[in-house]
C-alpha cells in the first residue's frame, strides 16, 4: 500500500484520535503552509481483547499469602512453597504492619466493565509484578523506593484472573494498583471489581 506524505492541505488533528482498526498514521507539523518537521509514521495494530476467564470467584476481596524470606527479586516459581499466613484484603493494599523480609501474593479475579485497552500502574516499594490471565502486564521487580510502572492490555468485558506479587527487603513498604481506559485519568482499582 502506498502512503502519501502529509501536505499543508491534509486533514488537521485538533484533538485525540480514536483508531478502531489497524492503521498507519503519517504526521507532520506545518507553519504558514510549509512543513516544519519531518514526517513521522506509526502503525497501530488492532488486537482482540483477552476473553473473560472461567472463574468462580464470588466473594469480595483478594486472597493474600505471606512468605517470609530474604528477597531481592520475585522468584520465577512460588508453587510448592507453603505460606506463613493467609487472609483476605479488600483491594490491592498492604496491611498496616507488613514488616521486612517478606513477599506477598494477592490473587483473585478482576471484573472488567467493558471491552477496551486498560492501562495499569503498579506503584511499589520494593519490587512488584501484575499478572492478568497468566500474562505479566507490569514488571516492576527489584529493590527500589516508591515508584510506579505501567503496562497495557486489551481485555474483554467480564472476569479475568489477577495476581499481584510484591516483596519488601528492608525499609519502606508501599503497594498500590491503578487503572484507566483511553482518555481517562488513572484511578485506584475499585474494591467492588475484585473477588476471590
Amino acid at each position: 500500500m502506498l502512503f502519501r506524505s502529509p501536505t499543508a492541505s491534509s486533514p488537521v488533528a485538533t484533538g485525540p484520535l480514536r483508531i478502531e482498526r489497524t492503521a498507519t498514521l503519517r504526521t507532520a507539523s506545518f507553519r504558514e503552509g510549509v512543513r516544519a518537521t519531518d514526517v513521522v509514521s506509526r502503525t497501530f495494530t488492532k488486537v482482540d481483547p483477552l476473553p473473560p476467564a472461567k472463574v468462580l470467584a464470588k466473594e469480595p476481596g483478594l486472597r493474600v499469602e505471606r512468605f517470609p524470606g530474604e528477597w531481592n527479586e520475585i522468584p520465577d516459581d512460588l508453587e510448592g512453597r507453603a505460606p506463613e499466613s493467609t487472609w483476605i484484603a479488600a483491594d490491592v493494599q498492604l496491611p498496616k504492619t507488613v514488616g521486612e523480609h517478606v513477599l506477598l501474593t494477592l490473587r483473585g479475579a478482576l471484573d472488567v466493565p467493558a471491552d477496551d485497552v486498560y492501562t495499569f500502574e503498579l506503584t511499589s516499594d520494593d519490587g512488584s509484578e501484575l499478572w492478568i490471565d497468566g500474562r505479566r502486564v507490569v514488571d516492576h521487580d527489584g529493590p527500589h523506593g516508591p515508584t510506579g510502572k505501567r503496562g497495557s492490555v486489551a481485555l474483554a468485558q467480564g472476569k479475568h484472573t489477577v495476581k499481584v506479587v510484591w516483596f519488601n527487603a528492608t525499609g519502606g513498604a508501599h503497594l498500590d494498583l491503578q487503572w484507566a481506559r483511553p482518555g481517562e485519568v488513572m484511578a485506584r482499582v475499585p474494591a467492588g471489581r475484585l473477588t476471590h
Side-chain angles (χ1 to χ4, degrees):
M1 181 179 283
L2 179 64
F3 297 104
R4 288 187 251 176
S5 292
T7 66
S9 60
S10 295
V12 176
T14 58
L17 298 175
R18 182 164 179 89
I19 302 170
E20 297 181 350
R21 63 181 185 270
T22 297
T24 299
L25 297 181
R26 295 174 61 84
T27 64
S29 295
F30 290 82
R31 182 180 173 124
E32 297 177 0
V34 178
R35 195 173 79 205
T37 64
D38 290 335
V39 174
V40 176
S41 178
R42 294 287 184 269
T43 299
F44 298 87
T45 304
K46 182 177 180 179
V47 296
D48 292 325
L50 293 176
K54 294 178 180 171
V55 294
L56 300 176
K58 294 180 181 177
E59 299 297 319
L62 298 171
R63 179 180 171 82
V64 184
E65 297 178 325
R66 176 189 173 95
F67 299 88
E70 298 293 325
W71 309 99
N72 285 312
E73 62 183 16
I74 296 170
D76 290 334
D77 189 10
L78 283 170
E79 302 306 320
R81 297 184 193 213
E84 176 185 71
S85 59
T86 62
W87 66 91
I88 304 303
D91 58 9
V92 177
Q93 61 181 320
L94 296 176
K96 291 183 180 179
T97 55
V98 69
E100 298 182 338
H101 310 293
V102 62
L103 181 142
L104 302 181
T105 62
L106 299 87
R107 298 175 195 257
L110 171 65
D111 189 12
V112 172
D115 294 7
D116 215 329
V117 175
Y118 291 81
T119 297
F120 292 88
E121 182 171 74
L122 192 57
T123 302
S124 65
D125 176 0
D126 284 303
S128 59
E129 292 177 341
L130 169 65
W131 295 77
I132 297 178
D133 293 339
R135 297 181 186 198
R136 185 167 47 201
V137 176
V138 179
D139 183 356
H140 198 22
D141 201 1
H144 54 76
T147 57
K149 197 165 186 182
R150 291 183 178 185
S152 297
V153 62
L155 299 172
Q157 180 181 5
K159 289 188 177 182
H160 296 263
T161 63
V162 64
K163 177 175 77 169
V164 175
V165 186
W166 168 86
F167 78 87
N168 186 31
T170 60
H174 182 83
L175 181 63
D176 182 48
L177 180 63
Q178 297 191 343
W179 69 346
R181 292 161 64 180
E184 294 180 345
V185 175
M186 297 297 286
R188 187 169 205 162
V189 174
R193 294 265 171 208
L194 298 167
T195 54
H196 71 282

